[in-house]
């Protein structure tokens, strides 16, 4: 079941990337709409990763920089 969900998510990501490339080359209106949604979702994931990464790096950043 988990494999099925991950496969569907992977297929959606690949389709979104295809739409981004196709939309950049002047595809139909619906392709540009899907591309805009894909880029917005990617930006949201990127921002959430920055928040998480910032808290992790600020908590362990001191120990890593003294290792050299």
């Amino acid at each position: 079941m988990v494999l099925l969900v991950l496969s569907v998510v992977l297929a959606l990501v690949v389709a979104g990337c295809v739409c981004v490339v196709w939309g950049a080359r002047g595809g139909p209106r619906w392709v540009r709409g899907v591309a805009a949604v894909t880029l917005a979702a990617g930006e949201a994931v990127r921002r959430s990763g920055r928040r998480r990464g910032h808290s992790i790096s600020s908590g362990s950043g001191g120990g890593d920089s003294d290792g050299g």
Side-chain angles (χ1 to χ4, degrees), residues 2-66:
V2 174
L3 184 62
L4 177 66
V5 172
L6 289 175
S7 298
V8 169
V9 169
L10 179 63
L12 288 173
V13 169
V14 169
C17 292
V18 168
C19 286
V20 167
V21 172
W22 189 11
R25 295 180 179 210
R29 184 176 294 162
W30 68 268
V31 171
R32 286 178 275 168
V34 172
V37 169
T38 302
L39 291 173
E43 185 64 29
V45 169
R46 191 176 310 127
R47 286 182 182 167
S48 71
R50 283 183 189 162
R51 282 189 218 132
R52 250 185 297 138
H54 181 67
S55 7
I56 291 171
S57 67
S58 65
S60 64
D64 291 342
S65 50
D66 293 336

